[in-house]
PDB file of all heavy atoms in Angstrom:
ATOM      1  N   ASP C   1       5.287  40.606 -19.767  1.00 90.00           N
ATOM      2  CA  ASP C   1       4.036  41.348 -19.952  1.00 90.00           C
ATOM      3  C   ASP C   1       2.957  40.958 -18.948  1.00 90.00           C
ATOM      4  O   ASP C   1       1.920  41.622 -18.866  1.00 90.00           O
ATOM      5  CB  ASP C   1       3.513  41.129 -21.380  1.00 90.00           C
ATOM      6  CG  ASP C   1       4.433  41.740 -22.426  1.00 90.00           C
ATOM      7  OD1 ASP C   1       5.130  42.709 -22.084  1.00 90.00           O
ATOM      8  OD2 ASP C   1       4.454  41.236 -23.565  1.00 90.00           O
ATOM      9  N   THR C   2       3.186  39.899 -18.182  1.00 91.00           N
ATOM     10  CA  THR C   2       2.199  39.511 -17.177  1.00 91.00           C
ATOM     11  C   THR C   2       2.311  40.367 -15.915  1.00 91.00           C
ATOM     12  O   THR C   2       1.422  40.309 -15.050  1.00 91.00           O
ATOM     13  CB  THR C   2       2.375  38.032 -16.781  1.00 91.00           C
ATOM     14  OG1 THR C   2       3.645  37.845 -16.139  1.00 91.00           O
ATOM     15  CG2 THR C   2       2.296  37.140 -18.015  1.00 91.00           C
ATOM     16  N   LYS C   3       3.388  41.141 -15.779  1.00 91.00           N
ATOM     17  CA  LYS C   3       3.595  41.981 -14.604  1.00 91.00           C
ATOM     18  C   LYS C   3       3.109  43.395 -14.864  1.00 91.00           C
ATOM     19  O   LYS C   3       3.098  43.871 -16.010  1.00 91.00           O
ATOM     20  CB  LYS C   3       5.072  42.009 -14.209  1.00 91.00           C
ATOM     21  CG  LYS C   3       5.675  40.627 -13.970  1.00 91.00           C
ATOM     22  CD  LYS C   3       4.921  39.862 -12.887  1.00 91.00           C
ATOM     23  CE  LYS C   3       5.485  38.467 -12.689  1.00 91.00           C
ATOM     24  NZ  LYS C   3       4.712  37.701 -11.688  1.00 91.00           N
ATOM     25  N   ALA C   4       2.710  44.063 -13.796  1.00 87.00           N
ATOM     26  CA  ALA C   4       2.149  45.412 -13.933  1.00 87.00           C
ATOM     27  C   ALA C   4       3.153  46.386 -14.520  1.00 87.00           C
ATOM     28  O   ALA C   4       2.798  47.279 -15.284  1.00 87.00           O
ATOM     29  CB  ALA C   4       1.674  45.908 -12.562  1.00 87.00           C
ATOM     30  N   THR C   5       4.424  46.222 -14.177  1.00 89.00           N
ATOM     31  CA  THR C   5       5.459  47.128 -14.692  1.00 89.00           C
ATOM     32  C   THR C   5       5.973  46.705 -16.064  1.00 89.00           C
ATOM     33  O   THR C   5       6.689  47.474 -16.709  1.00 89.00           O
ATOM     34  CB  THR C   5       6.649  47.185 -13.723  1.00 89.00           C
ATOM     35  OG1 THR C   5       7.253  45.877 -13.637  1.00 89.00           O
ATOM     36  CG2 THR C   5       6.220  47.647 -12.341  1.00 89.00           C
ATOM     37  N   GLY C   6       5.622  45.490 -16.497  1.00 92.00           N
ATOM     38  CA  GLY C   6       6.140  44.978 -17.759  1.00 92.00           C
ATOM     39  C   GLY C   6       7.507  44.341 -17.637  1.00 92.00           C
ATOM     40  O   GLY C   6       8.086  43.940 -18.645  1.00 92.00           O
ATOM     41  N   TRP C   7       8.025  44.229 -16.391  1.00 94.00           N
ATOM     42  CA  TRP C   7       9.369  43.688 -16.177  1.00 94.00           C
ATOM     43  C   TRP C   7       9.346  42.674 -15.038  1.00 94.00           C
ATOM     44  O   TRP C   7       8.512  42.741 -14.145  1.00 94.00           O
ATOM     45  CB  TRP C   7      10.362  44.794 -15.848  1.00 94.00           C
ATOM     46  CG  TRP C   7      10.567  45.777 -16.950  1.00 94.00           C
ATOM     47  CD1 TRP C   7       9.925  46.970 -17.118  1.00 94.00           C
ATOM     48  CD2 TRP C   7      11.461  45.637 -18.052  1.00 94.00           C
ATOM     49  NE1 TRP C   7      10.373  47.590 -18.261  1.00 94.00           N
ATOM     50  CE2 TRP C   7      11.316  46.803 -18.852  1.00 94.00           C
ATOM     51  CE3 TRP C   7      12.369  44.665 -18.451  1.00 94.00           C
ATOM     52  CZ2 TRP C   7      12.050  47.006 -20.019  1.00 94.00           C
ATOM     53  CZ3 TRP C   7      13.109  44.871 -19.613  1.00 94.00           C
ATOM     54  CH2 TRP C   7      12.942  46.025 -20.378  1.00 94.00           C
ATOM     55  N   ASN C   8      10.305  41.768 -15.095  1.00 94.00           N
ATOM     56  CA  ASN C   8      10.513  40.807 -14.023  1.00 94.00           C
ATOM     57  C   ASN C   8      12.014  40.672 -13.803  1.00 94.00           C
ATOM     58  O   ASN C   8      12.806  41.227 -14.567  1.00 94.00           O
ATOM     59  CB  ASN C   8       9.894  39.450 -14.368  1.00 94.00           C
ATOM     60  CG  ASN C   8       9.492  38.670 -13.141  1.00 94.00           C
ATOM     61  OD1 ASN C   8      10.029  38.871 -12.053  1.00 94.00           O
ATOM     62  ND2 ASN C   8       8.529  37.767 -13.303  1.00 94.00           N
ATOM     63  N   ASN C   9      12.390  39.947 -12.750  1.00 95.00           N
ATOM     64  CA  ASN C   9      13.809  39.840 -12.420  1.00 95.00           C
ATOM     65  C   ASN C   9      14.093  38.431 -11.914  1.00 95.00           C
ATOM     66  O   ASN C   9      13.345  37.895 -11.100  1.00 95.00           O
ATOM     67  CB  ASN C   9      14.165  40.872 -11.347  1.00 95.00           C
ATOM     68  CG  ASN C   9      15.655  41.013 -11.155  1.00 95.00           C
ATOM     69  OD1 ASN C   9      16.308  40.149 -10.590  1.00 95.00           O
ATOM     70  ND2 ASN C   9      16.201  42.109 -11.633  1.00 95.00           N
ATOM     71  N   LEU C  10      15.187  37.843 -12.393  1.00 93.00           N
ATOM     72  CA  LEU C  10      15.522  36.481 -11.999  1.00 93.00           C
ATOM     73  C   LEU C  10      15.990  36.399 -10.554  1.00 93.00           C
ATOM     74  O   LEU C  10      15.771  35.385  -9.885  1.00 93.00           O
ATOM     75  CB  LEU C  10      16.621  35.925 -12.917  1.00 93.00           C
ATOM     76  CG  LEU C  10      16.197  35.478 -14.312  1.00 93.00           C
ATOM     77  CD1 LEU C  10      17.376  34.872 -15.046  1.00 93.00           C
ATOM     78  CD2 LEU C  10      15.046  34.485 -14.244  1.00 93.00           C
ATOM     79  N   VAL C  11      16.637  37.433 -10.060  1.00 94.00           N
ATOM     80  CA  VAL C  11      17.132  37.423  -8.693  1.00 94.00           C
ATOM     81  C   VAL C  11      16.000  37.693  -7.702  1.00 94.00           C
ATOM     82  O   VAL C  11      15.968  37.137  -6.611  1.00 94.00           O
ATOM     83  CB  VAL C  11      18.259  38.456  -8.514  1.00 94.00           C
ATOM     84  CG1 VAL C  11      18.742  38.519  -7.078  1.00 94.00           C
ATOM     85  CG2 VAL C  11      19.427  38.132  -9.442  1.00 94.00           C
ATOM     86  N   PHE C  12      15.060  38.558  -8.097  1.00 93.00           N
ATOM     87  CA  PHE C  12      13.926  38.932  -7.241  1.00 93.00           C
ATOM     88  C   PHE C  12      12.658  38.757  -8.065  1.00 93.00           C
ATOM     89  O   PHE C  12      12.129  39.719  -8.609  1.00 93.00           O
ATOM     90  CB  PHE C  12      14.087  40.374  -6.785  1.00 93.00           C
ATOM     91  CG  PHE C  12      13.154  40.795  -5.678  1.00 93.00           C
ATOM     92  CD1 PHE C  12      13.521  41.811  -4.821  1.00 93.00           C
ATOM     93  CD2 PHE C  12      11.910  40.207  -5.499  1.00 93.00           C
ATOM     94  CE1 PHE C  12      12.670  42.231  -3.803  1.00 93.00           C
ATOM     95  CE2 PHE C  12      11.058  40.598  -4.488  1.00 93.00           C
ATOM     96  CZ  PHE C  12      11.445  41.613  -3.635  1.00 93.00           C
ATOM     97  N   PRO C  13      12.148  37.522  -8.172  1.00 92.00           N
ATOM     98  CA  PRO C  13      10.958  37.283  -9.004  1.00 92.00           C
ATOM     99  C   PRO C  13       9.766  38.112  -8.541  1.00 92.00           C
ATOM    100  O   PRO C  13       9.545  38.306  -7.347  1.00 92.00           O
ATOM    101  CB  PRO C  13      10.698  35.781  -8.807  1.00 92.00           C
ATOM    102  CG  PRO C  13      12.023  35.210  -8.403  1.00 92.00           C
ATOM    103  CD  PRO C  13      12.677  36.278  -7.588  1.00 92.00           C
ATOM    104  N   SER C  14       9.008  38.617  -9.515  1.00 90.00           N
ATOM    105  CA  SER C  14       7.808  39.428  -9.272  1.00 90.00           C
ATOM    106  C   SER C  14       8.123  40.715  -8.521  1.00 90.00           C
ATOM    107  O   SER C  14       7.285  41.231  -7.773  1.00 90.00           O
ATOM    108  CB  SER C  14       6.748  38.618  -8.504  1.00 90.00           C
ATOM    109  OG  SER C  14       6.362  37.486  -9.241  1.00 90.00           O
ATOM    110  N   VAL C  15       9.309  41.235  -8.702  1.00 90.00           N
ATOM    111  CA  VAL C  15       9.669  42.494  -8.056  1.00 90.00           C
ATOM    112  C   VAL C  15       8.780  43.617  -8.590  1.00 90.00           C
ATOM    113  O   VAL C  15       8.401  43.621  -9.758  1.00 90.00           O
ATOM    114  CB  VAL C  15      11.164  42.810  -8.289  1.00 90.00           C
ATOM    115  CG1 VAL C  15      11.435  43.048  -9.769  1.00 90.00           C
ATOM    116  CG2 VAL C  15      11.607  44.014  -7.474  1.00 90.00           C
ATOM    117  N   GLY C  16       8.415  44.556  -7.719  1.00 88.00           N
ATOM    118  CA  GLY C  16       7.564  45.662  -8.145  1.00 88.00           C
ATOM    119  C   GLY C  16       8.316  46.760  -8.861  1.00 88.00           C
ATOM    120  O   GLY C  16       7.702  47.682  -9.402  1.00 88.00           O
ATOM    121  N   MET C  17       9.628  46.673  -8.887  1.00 91.00           N
ATOM    122  CA  MET C  17      10.457  47.706  -9.502  1.00 91.00           C
ATOM    123  C   MET C  17      10.579  47.485 -11.008  1.00 91.00           C
ATOM    124  O   MET C  17      10.883  46.377 -11.448  1.00 91.00           O
ATOM    125  CB  MET C  17      11.851  47.679  -8.863  1.00 91.00           C
ATOM    126  CG  MET C  17      12.870  48.577  -9.523  1.00 91.00           C
ATOM    127  SD  MET C  17      14.484  48.431  -8.713  1.00 91.00           S
ATOM    128  CE  MET C  17      15.531  49.248  -9.913  1.00 91.00           C
ATOM    129  N   PRO C  18      10.348  48.507 -11.829  1.00 91.00           N
ATOM    130  CA  PRO C  18      10.599  48.369 -13.274  1.00 91.00           C
ATOM    131  C   PRO C  18      12.094  48.457 -13.565  1.00 91.00           C
ATOM    132  O   PRO C  18      12.891  48.790 -12.685  1.00 91.00           O
ATOM    133  CB  PRO C  18       9.849  49.563 -13.866  1.00 91.00           C
ATOM    134  CG  PRO C  18       9.871  50.584 -12.782  1.00 91.00           C
ATOM    135  CD  PRO C  18       9.789  49.839 -11.472  1.00 91.00           C
ATOM    136  N   HIS C  19      12.452  48.157 -14.779  1.00 94.00           N
ATOM    137  CA  HIS C  19      13.860  48.210 -15.188  1.00 94.00           C
ATOM    138  C   HIS C  19      14.193  49.644 -15.583  1.00 94.00           C
ATOM    139  O   HIS C  19      14.025  50.050 -16.733  1.00 94.00           O
ATOM    140  CB  HIS C  19      14.084  47.250 -16.343  1.00 94.00           C
ATOM    141  CG  HIS C  19      15.531  47.072 -16.709  1.00 94.00           C
ATOM    142  ND1 HIS C  19      16.564  47.537 -15.927  1.00 94.00           N
ATOM    143  CD2 HIS C  19      16.122  46.487 -17.786  1.00 94.00           C
ATOM    144  CE1 HIS C  19      17.714  47.245 -16.490  1.00 94.00           C
ATOM    145  NE2 HIS C  19      17.467  46.608 -17.619  1.00 94.00           N
ATOM    146  N   ALA C  20      14.691  50.416 -14.618  1.00 94.00           N
ATOM    147  CA  ALA C  20      14.953  51.836 -14.868  1.00 94.00           C
ATOM    148  C   ALA C  20      16.069  52.064 -15.875  1.00 94.00           C
ATOM    149  O   ALA C  20      16.139  53.132 -16.496  1.00 94.00           O
ATOM    150  CB  ALA C  20      15.297  52.531 -13.544  1.00 94.00           C
ATOM    151  N   LEU C  21      16.929  51.077 -16.065  1.00 95.00           N
ATOM    152  CA  LEU C  21      18.087  51.235 -16.947  1.00 95.00           C
ATOM    153  C   LEU C  21      17.915  50.483 -18.269  1.00 95.00           C
ATOM    154  O   LEU C  21      18.895  50.209 -18.955  1.00 95.00           O
ATOM    155  CB  LEU C  21      19.353  50.730 -16.233  1.00 95.00           C
ATOM    156  CG  LEU C  21      19.689  51.427 -14.910  1.00 95.00           C
ATOM    157  CD1 LEU C  21      20.715  50.618 -14.126  1.00 95.00           C
ATOM    158  CD2 LEU C  21      20.208  52.824 -15.160  1.00 95.00           C
ATOM    159  N   TRP C  22      16.678  50.197 -18.639  1.00 95.00           N
ATOM    160  CA  TRP C  22      16.466  49.342 -19.807  1.00 95.00           C
ATOM    161  C   TRP C  22      16.922  50.001 -21.105  1.00 95.00           C
ATOM    162  O   TRP C  22      17.360  49.323 -22.048  1.00 95.00           O
ATOM    163  CB  TRP C  22      14.994  48.941 -19.905  1.00 95.00           C
ATOM    164  CG  TRP C  22      14.070  50.012 -20.418  1.00 95.00           C
ATOM    165  CD1 TRP C  22      13.426  50.943 -19.684  1.00 95.00           C
ATOM    166  CD2 TRP C  22      13.705  50.241 -21.776  1.00 95.00           C
ATOM    167  NE1 TRP C  22      12.671  51.765 -20.490  1.00 95.00           N
ATOM    168  CE2 TRP C  22      12.829  51.344 -21.797  1.00 95.00           C
ATOM    169  CE3 TRP C  22      14.024  49.639 -22.998  1.00 95.00           C
ATOM    170  CZ2 TRP C  22      12.275  51.849 -22.965  1.00 95.00           C
ATOM    171  CZ3 TRP C  22      13.473  50.131 -24.159  1.00 95.00           C
ATOM    172  CH2 TRP C  22      12.609  51.227 -24.136  1.00 95.00           C
ATOM    173  N   GLN C  23      16.848  51.323 -21.177  1.00 95.00           N
ATOM    174  CA  GLN C  23      17.293  51.987 -22.407  1.00 95.00           C
ATOM    175  C   GLN C  23      18.802  51.844 -22.591  1.00 95.00           C
ATOM    176  O   GLN C  23      19.293  51.872 -23.724  1.00 95.00           O
ATOM    177  CB  GLN C  23      16.898  53.464 -22.371  1.00 95.00           C
ATOM    178  CG  GLN C  23      15.393  53.687 -22.488  1.00 95.00           C
ATOM    179  CD  GLN C  23      15.015  55.147 -22.408  1.00 95.00           C
ATOM    180  OE1 GLN C  23      15.538  55.899 -21.584  1.00 95.00           O
ATOM    181  NE2 GLN C  23      14.106  55.572 -23.260  1.00 95.00           N
ATOM    182  N   LEU C  24      19.530  51.698 -21.511  1.00 96.00           N
ATOM    183  CA  LEU C  24      20.975  51.492 -21.603  1.00 96.00           C
ATOM    184  C   LEU C  24      21.307  50.049 -21.966  1.00 96.00           C
ATOM    185  O   LEU C  24      22.215  49.789 -22.745  1.00 96.00           O
ATOM    186  CB  LEU C  24      21.653  51.861 -20.281  1.00 96.00           C
ATOM    187  CG  LEU C  24      21.400  53.266 -19.735  1.00 96.00           C
ATOM    188  CD1 LEU C  24      22.165  53.475 -18.435  1.00 96.00           C
ATOM    189  CD2 LEU C  24      21.790  54.327 -20.753  1.00 96.00           C
ATOM    190  N   GLN C  25      20.543  49.115 -21.394  1.00 96.00           N
ATOM    191  CA  GLN C  25      20.838  47.701 -21.594  1.00 96.00           C
ATOM    192  C   GLN C  25      20.114  47.099 -22.787  1.00 96.00           C
ATOM    193  O   GLN C  25      20.608  46.157 -23.408  1.00 96.00           O
ATOM    194  CB  GLN C  25      20.466  46.911 -20.330  1.00 96.00           C
ATOM    195  CG  GLN C  25      20.883  45.454 -20.376  1.00 96.00           C
ATOM    196  CD  GLN C  25      20.424  44.689 -19.155  1.00 96.00           C
ATOM    197  OE1 GLN C  25      19.389  44.988 -18.570  1.00 96.00           O
ATOM    198  NE2 GLN C  25      21.195  43.687 -18.751  1.00 96.00           N
ATOM    199  N   GLY C  26      18.951  47.643 -23.130  1.00 95.00           N
ATOM    200  CA  GLY C  26      18.111  47.005 -24.132  1.00 95.00           C
ATOM    201  C   GLY C  26      17.243  45.940 -23.488  1.00 95.00           C
ATOM    202  O   GLY C  26      17.199  45.795 -22.266  1.00 95.00           O
ATOM    203  N   GLU C  27      16.535  45.185 -24.310  1.00 94.00           N
ATOM    204  CA  GLU C  27      15.664  44.127 -23.801  1.00 94.00           C
ATOM    205  C   GLU C  27      16.316  42.770 -23.998  1.00 94.00           C
ATOM    206  O   GLU C  27      16.884  42.486 -25.056  1.00 94.00           O
ATOM    207  CB  GLU C  27      14.314  44.161 -24.517  1.00 94.00           C
ATOM    208  CG  GLU C  27      13.506  45.412 -24.238  1.00 94.00           C
ATOM    209  CD  GLU C  27      12.126  45.356 -24.873  1.00 94.00           C
ATOM    210  OE1 GLU C  27      11.622  44.229 -25.068  1.00 94.00           O
ATOM    211  OE2 GLU C  27      11.560  46.415 -25.166  1.00 94.00           O
ATOM    212  N   ARG C  28      16.239  41.931 -22.950  1.00 93.00           N
ATOM    213  CA  ARG C  28      16.804  40.591 -23.010  1.00 93.00           C
ATOM    214  C   ARG C  28      15.793  39.576 -22.483  1.00 93.00           C
ATOM    215  O   ARG C  28      14.889  39.913 -21.731  1.00 93.00           O
ATOM    216  CB  ARG C  28      18.079  40.499 -22.167  1.00 93.00           C
ATOM    217  CG  ARG C  28      19.149  41.500 -22.545  1.00 93.00           C
ATOM    218  CD  ARG C  28      20.471  41.151 -21.905  1.00 93.00           C
ATOM    219  NE  ARG C  28      20.393  41.078 -20.444  1.00 93.00           N
ATOM    220  CZ  ARG C  28      21.387  40.656 -19.673  1.00 93.00           C
ATOM    221  NH1 ARG C  28      22.519  40.257 -20.220  1.00 93.00           N
ATOM    222  NH2 ARG C  28      21.255  40.633 -18.350  1.00 93.00           N
TER     223      ARG C  28
END
């Protein structure tokens, strides 16, 4: 929730891309 998109990524920290496939994967 600290990121503008509401998402972060372990491989690319602070990536500007949101999780486009989150409805398929769910939240983890």
Side-chain angles (χ1 to χ4, degrees):
D1 294 333
T2 65
K3 304 302 178 183
T5 63
W7 296 94
N8 207 336
N9 192 287
L10 283 184
V11 177
F12 192 153
S14 300
V15 65
M17 173 181 167
H19 189 11
L21 301 165
W22 76 271
Q23 290 178 317
L24 305 181
Q25 187 184 31
E27 294 185 27
R28 304 193 302 173

